[in-house]
Amino acid sequence: MRVLSGVQPSGALHIGNYLAAIKQWIPLQEKHECLFFIVDLHAVTVPYKPQDLRQNVWNAALDYLALGLDPAKSTIFIQSHVHQHAELAWLLETITPLGELERMTQFKEKSKHRQKANVGLGLFAYPALMAADILLYKTELMPVGEDQLQHVELARTLARKFNHLFGRTFPEPKSQVAKIGARIMSLADPTKKMSKSLGPAHFLAIFEPEEDIRQKIKSAVTDSGKEIVYDVKKKPAISNLLTIYSLCADKPISEIEKQYQGKGYAGFKSDLAEVVIETFRPFRRKREELLQNITEVRNILSRGAETARSIAEKTMKEVKEKMGLL
Ligand code: AQP
């Protein structure tokens, strides 16, 4: 089975990206043909600084490798190094209904506080580019967080439509979502999804300094009352922290609730910080080693792009023929 997934280099990768997405990718490498990419063409759909983007792409590559993506098992590459993503996106846009794009939650969220003049066509067409990413490799499975399900659904719709119009070409990709932690919430506002772009108080970057992790968890908002119980409606903040604790410590939430029965938020938060730090400590060491060997990282990305291009070329040849392009 062919698997594809990626993260936008729109900031530092956070624990939501890891717990919901990257953590799922690691075991898939053992059994399937996997492609994992750094989604830089998507990251330019909102205002950004080129020097930050460059740095974020390198950081994402280091994070991927430090967290366990193995170039001997998976194809790891940068999206913009395979020009066919943009080419297929254009062709798919010609069959993408406007209405489908207009109802996308991510577009509504990201455009709602901006004036129309400051919202680019790229942000609107983002889901068509994502459909192209997926279909270019005839992907069968896409492990993602809950927020991306709507976009994978569009890729399925476009695969069906393309197949209907031009003849069977694409499989309909399925999504895989983690049972717990598919939507990690912001530390500063548990009604919002943890996002790179919300600002540093909202997310916990995987590799931020340990002291900052302690500080951020200490300052994370909590709910009224004192009990440490999982109740998303009444206690969204504590439920989110319990989810993070459970996933990092690999312990059921019910066990953690028992452990902290009658205890206050302060102790729970300080333990949570240590659990998170401990979870990522081995990856941190690996990342420091990789930093000393940037040439090897560059070579991995270059080999990855070559492999990805060879698959992409075949798909594009077939797509163009079927669409009547000479
Ligand atoms: N809070 C989250 N909880 C669970 N999963 C999440 N993902 C993102 N945020 C959460 C999943 O991580 C993968 C990579 O996401 P992305 O970077 O491609 O795009 P995003 O969903 O828009 O992520 P961010 O952090 O919110 O980025 P910005 O702020 O730039 O938009 C995906 O599988 C996603 O579901």
Side-chain angles (χ1 to χ4, degrees), residues 102 106 153 234 275:
E102 276 163 358
Q106 181 176 286
E153 201 46 49
K234 291 193 191 136
V275 165

Side-chain angles (χ1 to χ4, degrees), residues 15 18-19 23 241-253 255-256 259-260 268 271-280:
I15 59 165
Y18 176 73
L19 296 172
K23 196 177 172 193
L241 298 181
L242 274 167
T243 303
I244 298 171
Y245 196 131
S246 162
L247 290 167
C248 288
D250 203 12
K251 253 189 200 180
I253 289 179
E255 214 175 285
I256 307 168
Q259 189 182 333
Y260 289 95
F268 168 69
D271 289 355
L272 170 61
E274 297 315 311
V275 165
V276 170
I277 289 169
E278 215 38 62
T279 302
F280 294 108

Side-chain angles (χ1 to χ4, degrees), residues 5-8 10 14 16-17 20-21 106 110 126 143-148 181-185 193-198:
S5 201
V7 180
Q8 291 186 77
S10 44
H14 56 71
N17 299 137
Q106 181 176 286
K110 290 198 171 177
Y126 181 117
V144 286
E146 202 182 80
D147 63 309
Q148 292 299 331
R183 191 175 179 83
I184 300 291
M185 308 310 281
K193 177 183 90 98
M194 181 179 284
S195 269
K196 303 177 209 89
S197 51
L198 279 179

Side-chain angles (χ1 to χ4, degrees), residues 123-137:
L123 185 63
F124 187 59
Y126 181 117
L129 175 58
M130 183 161 155
D133 299 337
I134 301 171
L135 301 185
L136 188 56
Y137 302 100

Side-chain angles (χ1 to χ4, degrees), residues 71-143:
K73 296 174 183 157
S74 296
T75 299
I76 303 165
F77 66 101
I78 298 172
Q79 183 186 27
S80 63
H81 290 185
V82 183
H83 66 79
Q84 288 88 348
H85 286 260
E87 196 178 4
L88 183 57
W90 175 256
L91 297 178
L92 290 180
E93 279 163 27
T94 64
I95 60 162
T96 306
L98 275 187
E100 292 277 353
L101 297 178
E102 276 163 358
R103 64 184 188 84
M104 290 293 165
T105 312
Q106 181 176 286
F107 174 71
K108 287 189 207 158
E109 279 295 311
K110 290 198 171 177
S111 58
K112 76 176 170 196
H113 296 305
R114 293 202 196 117
Q115 291 185 323
K116 242 187 173 169
N118 297 330
V119 177
L121 179 58
L123 185 63
F124 187 59
Y126 181 117
L129 175 58
M130 183 161 155
D133 299 337
I134 301 171
L135 301 185
L136 188 56
Y137 302 100
K138 302 198 173 185
T139 302
E140 293 161 278
L141 186 75
M142 180 134 198

